[in-house]
Amino acid sequence: MARTWHPSARIAALGIAAAFVAVAAPTVNAQIPGNNPRTTVYPVDSTKVQLDVEPVDLEAGTVRIVVQNNTASNLNCTGIGGGPAATVTTAEVVARSIDYFTQYPLSELADLTLNLPTQAGGAQQISLGSAQVQAGSAAEFLNPEWDALNQNDAALEQARLAGHYGVVGTTISIQANQAFEQTVRLDHPSSGERADFQTGVFMTCTVDGQRYAFHAYEGGAKPNYGTNDSTGSLGSAGLGS
């Protein structure tokens, strides 16, 4: 049976109280409700590739990482949608990212639009892109996935401003059963000196047609953040401290 999912969402802000109401729900034509053929799941527990991340060298502004290919194939690991092959940042951002991929599959979301009343009595439409709802606003009420996405975006922006962010190109090539090592230079902080922080590394790689999310934390310990005291479904598959 052919299955289609046409996700669309339109949020109306009504009056001064700005009550949010979904006025267009997804249309589903599938035997299993919620079955979205455009959804991609990235496993986070695989040891096909293992990572290790060292503490930040504050004087040099660098972080050393090791990527171990445990497969019998040469790998060319690339980022999602042309993004960086690997990202070094705070352990919190990495933990949030892994929790996101654990809890929510990656799906193609339709644009979200706000219909805002104007003084003249008309409506002003503001496109928010795929899910750009301000963290801490109605995002959690509307969809916890959007809220998690925006919370992670806010944490990443804070890390960038603090100089706790660096990337590894667009491709990491690793020979079969070999390791790749690189010292990653961090961006400069927007102001002041770079403070010490628990490092983390995140990358994705396609192995045998399946894309996986790989990660590691400095010291091998996943940090707690916010009100989330979870250790995740599977923790870090690192090489050790």
Side-chain angles (χ1 to χ4, degrees):
M1 174 181 178
R3 297 172 297 176
T4 59
W5 179 316
H6 304 289
S8 62
R10 186 174 295 275
I11 311 306
L14 305 177
I16 298 177
F20 287 83
V21 180
V23 299
T27 300
V28 180
N29 178 19
Q31 290 180 322
I32 304 298
N35 182 17
N36 187 350
R38 295 189 298 176
T39 294
T40 305
V41 176
Y42 296 155
V44 302
D45 62 330
S46 173
T47 57
K48 294 177 184 292
V49 174
Q50 290 180 280
L51 307 181
D52 184 56
V53 60
E54 295 187 355
V56 58
D57 183 332
L58 288 175
E59 183 175 350
T62 58
V63 174
R64 180 176 172 271
I65 65 169
V66 179
V67 184
Q68 174 69 45
N69 178 4
N70 292 327
T71 76
S73 301
N74 297 336
L75 297 177
N76 291 307
C77 297
T78 59
I80 299 172
T87 300
V88 172
T89 184
T90 65
E92 176 187 341
V93 171
V94 174
R96 285 181 178 273
S97 300
I98 289 299
D99 282 352
Y100 181 86
F101 280 115
T102 300
Q103 297 175 53
Y104 310 107
L106 187 68
S107 58
E108 298 177 24
L109 301 176
D111 280 352
L112 188 68
T113 303
L114 292 183
N115 287 330
L116 302 179
T118 65
Q119 291 182 343
Q124 178 184 13
Q125 291 190 347
I126 301 178
S127 176
L128 300 180
S130 294
Q132 298 302 311
V133 180
Q134 183 178 359
S137 66
E140 186 172 6
F141 170 75
L142 295 170
N143 188 325
E145 179 180 356
W146 296 344
D147 185 58
L149 193 65
N150 282 281
Q151 292 286 356
N152 198 39
D153 181 67
L156 179 59
E157 181 64 16
Q158 185 177 35
R160 286 178 182 271
L161 293 175
H164 299 163
Y165 176 85
V167 299
V168 182
T170 56
T171 303
I172 294 178
S173 298
I174 326 166
Q175 293 184 345
N177 297 305
Q178 297 296 316
F180 167 92
E181 301 183 27
Q182 182 157 327
T183 299
V184 181
R185 182 164 298 281
L186 303 175
D187 290 353
H188 292 291
S190 61
S191 63
E193 298 293 327
R194 181 184 289 107
D196 195 10
F197 66 101
Q198 183 187 2
T199 60
V201 59
F202 175 91
M203 68 175 287
T204 67
C205 192
T206 300
V207 183
D208 296 329
Q210 170 67 55
R211 185 179 288 274
Y212 296 85
F214 300 106
H215 63 292
Y217 309 110
E218 175 189 340
K222 177 181 178 180
N224 292 327
Y225 58 87
T227 57
N228 180 2
D229 58 1
S230 169
T231 57
S233 62
L234 299 157
S236 171
L239 298 174
S241 57

